[in-house]
Amino acid sequence: MNKKHYYIKTFGCQMNVYDSERIANILQTLGYSPASTPKAADLIIFNTCHIREKAAEKVFSDLGRAYAVKQERAEEGLDTIIGVMGCVVQAEDEQISVRAPFVDFATGPLTYHRLPEILAKIGRKKGKTIIDTEFPAESKFDFLPENHSSGGCSYLAIQEGCNNFCTYCVVPYTRGVEYSRPVKDVINEAKRLIDGGTLEINLLGQNVNSYHGEDASGKEQNLAYLLRELAKIDGLKRIRYTTSYPADVDDELIACHRDLKQIMPYLHLPVQSGSDKILKAMNRRHNSADYLRVVEKLQTANPELRMSSDFIVGFPGEEDSDFQATLDIVNHVKFIQAFSFKYSRRAGTPAALMKNQVEEKIKKERLDILQDLLFSYQLKFNKESVGKIMPVLFDMKGRHAGQLIGRTPYMQNLHAELGKEYMNKIVNIKVTEATTNSLSGVMEG
Ligand code: 5AD
Ligand code: SF4
């Protein structure tokens, strides 16, 4: 019998990348192997993102293309299952049956552990979309096959969901309320990843620093405790965690940046806006002074630490002076990387109903100005890296033969001419060139 193949396209955040890896784990236990194109796949899955309108709309155009592939394959006598997973399903399940009725199944981000059951049902329920958008009582993590490492850097989800309800954000509605995995489960998963060759673990959660998983005695422990436990594991060279919420950065966590050499000197801490009026309207639990205080404490704990952030421009009610406050905070913190977005109105969130929406043209102007400023700091930092020797973890092949791509401690992408024996290794590299988005360098010594 021919082996079945799957193709997964992932949209959105790192949590979706992690989920897609876990979906691949499930499919492998069912006898599937990866296909390099949708045309070669018996099962095509889109793991979707609902955070902004653009991300959500992309799925529907991709689904149209997948349907064409399904029809081409049918002419060759081949069956194709099309599935949609992730946050678009949780938020727009009805839209999927209306706009893409050929989809065989759709599951939310909290129920993909039921994939074996769903696939078995498809045989029996031909022609009807199976939809599972329950917020289940069980945790999917307890039902997933063991996660093994496939490279030098691995993601490890420790927390999911969010109770913050920022007024622009769909996450609390798509990923549900906060859930933290027990300490033991995280440590065991980390050990398996390290045994498989992982040197760097990036702990993931929508609000990762509100982690409160139970230890063996049933006591809730925080992220600082978990980081200290992880740092005891032999072979784990680098730890990152993302995404953090500024108001939940506590002194114990800050002390980890002082004490644990495995924690990389780079932290993604979204501020969203520099204006206190807008931060309040966003329902963030920090103002700009609180944010700056946290950054200062972190950089006192580890003077090498550099910051990255997310920004939204054109939130309802944002005036020129509010936007200026955002530019001011950028000039103050000098973020070395950042993601910035135009505010996108999401149905069901409080901000979508706010009266004082900002015109598209102004949003675009502000985004251009902000990005120019952010890129200037990014380029400056990258240029300052030239001449320095940095430990780089290589985990990707470059575009040309004999080239590898890796990451510096500061999450800069770095290209180097290196043989594949250096893949998934940390190598000391002297940085020779820098652009806004990447560095190049040569092996030192
Ligand atoms: N519009 C624009 N950006 C958004 N984000 C979240 N929701 C929206 C929205 N409605 C951004 C925030 C968040 C990042 C993941 O996406 O900056 O930190
Ligand atoms: Fe969304 Fe705010 Fe939660 Fe981040 S903290 S996931 S922006 S609600």
Side-chain angles (χ1 to χ4, degrees), residues 147-164:
N147 191 16
H148 292 274
S149 164
S150 59
C153 296
S154 296
Y155 290 128
L156 200 175
I158 64 167
Q159 182 276 335
E160 184 168 24
C162 185
N163 298 348
N164 286 323

Side-chain angles (χ1 to χ4, degrees), residues 25-57:
N25 290 157
I26 298 176
L27 293 173
Q28 280 152 13
T29 63
L30 297 177
Y32 282 83
S33 45
S36 49
T37 60
K39 184 78 200 286
D42 308 278
L43 170 59
I44 303 173
I45 293 181
F46 296 100
N47 192 9
T48 63
C49 171
H50 198 251
I51 200 110
R52 286 170 293 277
E53 192 179 355
K54 242 197 202 158
E57 278 306 307

Side-chain angles (χ1 to χ4, degrees), residues 5-298:
H5 290 86
Y6 66 89
Y7 182 89
I8 305 177
K9 178 162 178 181
T10 308
F11 298 84
C13 64
Q14 291 151 323
M15 187 71 105
N16 268 13
V17 176
Y18 176 84
D19 286 338
S20 290
E21 284 169 7
R22 307 306 307 269
I23 291 163
N25 290 157
I26 298 176
L27 293 173
Q28 280 152 13
T29 63
L30 297 177
Y32 282 83
S33 45
S36 49
T37 60
K39 184 78 200 286
D42 308 278
L43 170 59
I44 303 173
I45 293 181
F46 296 100
N47 192 9
T48 63
C49 171
H50 198 251
I51 200 110
R52 286 170 293 277
E53 192 179 355
K54 242 197 202 158
E57 278 306 307
K58 263 194 213 144
V59 176
F60 288 101
S61 49
D62 271 41
L63 277 172
R65 277 193 287 276
Y67 186 47
V69 169
K70 183 174 172 130
Q71 285 170 317
E72 276 171 42
R73 283 173 51 91
E75 281 166 21
E76 295 164 26
L78 299 168
D79 274 341
T80 315
I81 296 173
I82 300 180
V84 192
M85 312 185 73
C87 293
V88 170
V89 177
Q90 201 67 43
E92 296 193 35
D93 52 347
E94 283 164 18
Q95 280 291 310
I96 288 173
S97 347
V98 174
R99 292 177 63 182
F102 51 84
V103 164
D104 296 286
F105 71 89
T107 80
L110 304 179
T111 45
Y112 65 78
H113 58 293
R114 296 175 181 165
L115 194 55
E117 227 175 292
I118 292 171
L119 288 174
K121 268 193 207 153
I122 288 173
R124 289 179 257 135
K125 272 190 132 186
K126 273 230 152 26
K128 210 160 173 241
T129 311
I130 298 172
I131 296 184
D132 187 350
T133 48
E134 206 194 326
F135 284 113
E138 79 272 13
S139 158
K140 68 183 176 201
F141 295 106
D142 295 337
F143 294 87
L144 294 170
E146 284 183 355
N147 191 16
H148 292 274
S149 164
S150 59
C153 296
S154 296
Y155 290 128
L156 200 175
I158 64 167
Q159 182 276 335
E160 184 168 24
C162 185
N163 298 348
N164 286 323
F165 290 93
C166 299
T167 51
Y168 50 81
C169 186
V170 290
V171 167
Y173 311 97
T174 60
R175 292 269 175 179
V177 293
E178 279 174 21
Y179 166 78
S180 295
R181 294 177 69 190
V183 172
K184 183 165 78 36
D185 293 6
V186 174
I187 299 292
N188 287 343
E189 188 165 328
K191 284 184 176 160
R192 275 196 300 274
L193 293 170
I194 295 160
D195 286 346
T198 287
L199 300 174
E200 172 177 314
I201 290 182
N202 195 339
L203 303 173
L204 298 181
Q206 268 85 36
N207 190 358
V208 73
N209 60 327
S210 81
Y211 175 83
H212 52 87
E214 284 183 5
D215 66 12
S217 68
K219 182 167 177 258
E220 282 194 353
Q221 298 288 358
N222 61 13
L223 180 61
Y225 175 91
L226 188 67
L227 289 169
R228 288 182 188 273
E229 289 299 301
L230 284 165
K232 290 180 195 160
I233 306 177
D234 263 354
L236 180 56
K237 305 283 184 218
R238 295 177 162 200
I239 305 174
R240 304 180 190 273
Y241 61 92
T242 196
T243 294
S244 297
Y245 188 76
D248 294 337
V249 177
D250 59 23
D251 289 345
E252 284 182 54
L253 183 58
I254 292 170
C256 290
H257 284 267
R258 181 193 62 210
D259 300 339
L260 305 177
K261 65 175 188 323
Q262 294 90 335
I263 300 186
M264 289 292 98
Y266 169 90
L267 186 65
H268 185 63
L269 190 64
V271 64
Q272 312 295 358
S273 167
S275 154
D276 293 345
K277 178 188 96 187
I278 295 297
L279 288 169
K280 193 153 186 255
M282 286 177 164
N283 192 34
R284 302 283 290 180
R285 282 182 284 115
H286 60 88
N287 60 27
S288 56
D290 298 330
Y291 184 86
L292 293 175
R293 209 170 307 120
V294 168
V295 170
E296 198 188 320
K297 279 186 172 182
L298 283 160

